[in-house]
Amino acid sequence: MCIKKITTGLLALTMVFSGAIMPMGTIAAETSITASAANKTYNYNGYQYIVLEDGTLEITAFDAAANGCKGKLEIPATINGKKVTSIGKYAFHGCTAFNELHIPEGVKTISDFGFYECSSVKKIVFPKSLTTICYCAFDNCKSLTAIDLPENIKDIGIFAFSGIVNVKSVLIPKSVVSIGEGAFGYKYVGRFSVQQMDDFTVKGYKGSAAEKYASDYGFKFIAEAEKTDGETKKIKGDLNGDGKVNVTDTTKLAAFLKGKISLPEGVDADINGDGKINVTDLTLLAACVKGYRIL
């Protein structure tokens, strides 16, 4: 596996001014959302926000102590009757108060450094409305165990998910049209230097941005099954029928083995093909989700 070390990536996108590092880079597709001229800020339950020109809201800062957040954070979809559509620059930067994050439906953009160094978060639930993840948005969220991207995502910025060493693979939806350098599969070796992870796998579709990203940076690429006549081919381990194999499927299989739920008809949960569904299948499925093996 080719190992590429980027020693100038972050520095090329930043400038040092009076001892502070100021971001300069953004993803190729700039967000069209702009704030109102006054840029007046408001506060609600620990969330600081502004009203954008279209009347929707952008969260610009978060006070975990004022919010009382412990463990699970569910960002509100509306505040005072107005929809939240954007997470602003540095809004949750460095917050370690939550280990599970739910971003609400309606959010379309996560700006530069939006959740940078939220080092305690292990699980993120993204909304289907999300289209743009900007520069370093989830950079160095080092406890994250999986990256389950929504189907409508289009643009993923430079270093968006860099420094996440526990995630060994990512399935990139066909909707994605641009992926910035270092977005996936890089680990930190020093404060401003990242190195390619030699055990990282990119999953996606033939001819897609995912395949190009894997080719450009030397990652292993696994092609997903294409949809035929409006249907998705049956995928081993896809227990909820969404066309992907991820942590949701392992949770579902674990619940089935404990007798808490029944599996939908037609799903293939016999991972090792021995005619039985047991803890061995759960172990193999979990290893696949973590990128340690291929089903």
Side-chain angles (χ1 to χ4, degrees), residues 219-239:
F219 290 111
K220 180 180 179 180
F221 177 73
I222 297 177
E224 292 291 301
E226 293 281 355
K227 292 183 178 180
T228 304
D229 296 327
E231 298 293 332
T232 302
K233 295 179 182 178
K234 186 187 295 184
I235 301 174
K236 184 184 289 290
D238 176 21
L239 305 187

Side-chain angles (χ1 to χ4, degrees), residues 241-263:
D242 65 353
K244 300 182 288 185
V245 177
N246 53 35
V247 69
T248 302
D249 299 301
T250 60
T251 302
K252 203 173 189 69
L253 183 54
F256 168 76
L257 293 175
K258 291 178 181 179
K260 295 182 178 180
I261 64 168
S262 298
L263 293 177

Side-chain angles (χ1 to χ4, degrees), residues 105-125:
E105 285 299 331
V107 170
K108 299 177 181 179
T109 302
I110 298 175
S111 302
D112 300 348
F113 297 95
F115 294 93
Y116 175 59
E117 290 192 336
C118 290
S119 57
S120 295
V121 65
K122 296 180 179 180
K123 177 182 178 181
I124 300 174
V125 177

Side-chain angles (χ1 to χ4, degrees), residues 112-291:
D112 300 348
F113 297 95
F115 294 93
Y116 175 59
E117 290 192 336
C118 290
S119 57
S120 295
V121 65
K122 296 180 179 180
K123 177 182 178 181
I124 300 174
V125 177
F126 293 101
K128 294 179 181 178
S129 56
L130 187 64
T131 60
T132 304
I133 298 176
C134 295
Y135 171 52
C136 289
F138 295 93
D139 183 27
N140 217 15
C141 291
K142 56 187 178 182
S143 296
L144 198 60
T145 58
I147 301 172
D148 296 328
L149 297 170
E151 288 297 330
N152 296 320
I153 188 76
K154 292 183 179 179
D155 299 297
I156 301 171
I158 296 169
F159 298 112
F161 292 92
S162 188
I164 303 175
V165 296
N166 294 322
V167 176
K168 304 298 183 182
S169 67
V170 63
L171 173 59
I172 300 175
K174 201 170 184 178
S175 58
V176 174
V177 295
S178 68
I179 306 173
E181 183 177 11
F184 304 101
Y186 284 82
K187 61 183 178 181
Y188 274 95
V189 284
R191 188 70 178 98
F192 296 113
S193 183
V194 292
Q195 186 179 69
Q196 183 176 327
M197 295 163 57
D198 57 8
D199 56 350
F200 192 81
T201 300
V202 176
K203 301 177 183 179
Y205 298 89
K206 286 287 186 180
S208 67
E211 185 175 26
K212 185 178 187 303
Y213 180 80
S215 176
D216 286 349
Y217 301 108
F219 290 111
K220 180 180 179 180
F221 177 73
I222 297 177
E224 292 291 301
E226 293 281 355
K227 292 183 178 180
T228 304
D229 296 327
E231 298 293 332
T232 302
K233 295 179 182 178
K234 186 187 295 184
I235 301 174
K236 184 184 289 290
D238 176 21
L239 305 187
N240 64 350
D242 65 353
K244 300 182 288 185
V245 177
N246 53 35
V247 69
T248 302
D249 299 301
T250 60
T251 302
K252 203 173 189 69
L253 183 54
F256 168 76
L257 293 175
K258 291 178 181 179
K260 295 182 178 180
I261 64 168
S262 298
L263 293 177
E265 185 177 350
V267 300
D268 189 357
D270 180 15
I271 308 302
N272 64 351
D274 65 354
K276 298 178 289 185
I277 300 175
N278 52 34
V279 70
T280 301
D281 300 300
L282 178 60
T283 301
L284 293 174
L285 185 60
C288 170
V289 171
K290 292 179 179 179

